[in-house]
Amino acid sequence: FGPIVPEYGGAAYLTECLSKSGNDIQLIYYTLLNIWMLSFLTETTEKLFGSSKFGIIKHVCDILQKVSREKITRVAFMIFKNI
């Protein structure tokens, strides 16, 4: 499942969800949870976070700056820990 995500538009969809989420805390949280689960797979981690094509790290940093919810912060730091 992991290699399929970047190759078939899943990564673009995740970044789109993050960029268009606004202040929808649940959407941000569920999107970050999906990214966190994908961060456990080595081949997916290299494709999602290794290139600046998707900009997921930048989106996560932007979310951390604008949203101050503990559950969002916790999941974001778990993503950073895995990568």
Side-chain angles (χ1 to χ4, degrees), residues 11 29 35 42 48 51-52 59:
Y29 180 67
I35 294 170
T42 308
L48 283 177
S51 73
S52 60
H59 284 295

Side-chain angles (χ1 to χ4, degrees), residues 52-70:
S52 60
K53 178 180 177 182
F54 302 113
I56 290 181
I57 294 174
K58 181 187 178 307
H59 284 295
V60 173
C61 290
D62 291 343
I63 286 171
L64 283 172
Q65 289 177 350
K66 72 176 185 178
V67 177
S68 61
R69 290 286 176 106
E70 184 179 346

